[in-house]
Amino acid sequence: MTRFAQRRARLMKLIKQAGAAGLLITNEKNVTYLTGFTGDSSYLLLSRRESRMISDFRYVEQLQEECPDLPTHIRPRTKLLRDATIDVLGSAKTAPLLVEGDSLTIADYTYFAQHLPQQSLGVSRGLVETLRQVKDAGEIEELRRAARQAEKAFAVLRATLRPNRTEKELADELEFQMRLQGAECSSFPPIVAAGPRAALPHARPTLEPIGKHDLLLVDWGASSRGYKSDLTRVLVTGKISPKLERLYGVVLRAQEQAIAAIRPGKTGRAIDEVARGIIADAGFGKYFGHGLGHGVGLDIHELPRLSVVDETPLEPGMVVTVEPGIYLPGWGGIRIEDDVLVTRQGHEVLTNCPKELSEMVVA
């Protein structure tokens, strides 16, 4: 049995526990996770009787290559995907059927309900995402590879940093270098923010030259066979002022102690509280307004979360970011981020970029 078939078997148990006969998977990342198929515009029907991919002519050969064990329904070009889905569901004995409430549009749900009154449609949330939280050995290896690709690209960027280069030029260069290192693409559009713009946690790179400022925040990651890495570092491009030294020290201490606290059984809320407490005790609590971290895998943001709203106990195989920050409007921001694997003994940091303040100086 392939690892994809094993995942479908585990999911089928959850579907049965929910009192349903089947699930229509419409989230493309969930389809990939359950089948290995890397195309788009395709659904997966998983039921007690059968599994079936619903796709189109463009992917006939790709489906045979990537998931040869799955029956397929190739819709004619005269039919939309939702109509082809109705054809499949109409002939399948899958009542009651669940649909993915997090990805199926209200319009399509209404359309299915109108054309399939016998199906007794129910809405599920997070069934596949719950399985995706715990990574297997193959997934962890891809996450390691994505981390190495990102780190090598960042090393090139540091070595070629010049004061006259703009935020956008550096973001573009970083993405190009990740591709040269073997990545499919970047995990997300890189964030490169100089000086006061580093106070924007999700700043968009501009044509602003970096040379006029003392710090440069870089948030980036690589995608390896669909799996993402996510890192943030702050480079010192000017002088280390007492303020910069103090803020950096607080964030680094918060990150290191939060990472040290990661182990099976601890909740996302508990880990968040470790970092948040350190930043609050230093007097900067109101300047750390986002969660400490998030799961990372096929999506750059997925379950579990390290935040005050997540009581999920951590399990071996989960991979999370740890990224505390302090953002002062008009001055700038400090964020330090690494990807961390939960192990049976505790944790392992998958990313390996220098982060001591003395190592961040490039001026």
Side-chain angles (χ1 to χ4, degrees), residues 32 42 46 76 137 174 194 344 362:
T32 296
S42 302
L46 182 62
L174 190 54
R344 294 185 183 278
V362 293

Side-chain angles (χ1 to χ4, degrees), residues 12 15-17 19-22 46-50 93-96:
M12 197 64 236
I15 295 169
K16 290 178 181 178
Q17 290 173 9
L46 182 62
S47 74
R48 296 174 183 177
R49 293 179 176 271
E50 67 171 334
K93 296 180 179 180
T94 55

Side-chain angles (χ1 to χ4, degrees), residues 20 91-92 107 143 166 208 210 212 231 240 253-254 257 259 270 297 344 362:
S91 61
L143 290 167
T166 69
E208 174 79 5
I210 68 168
K212 301 187 293 185
L231 303 90
I240 300 179
R253 186 165 68 254
Q257 293 196 22
I259 290 174
R344 294 185 183 278
V362 293

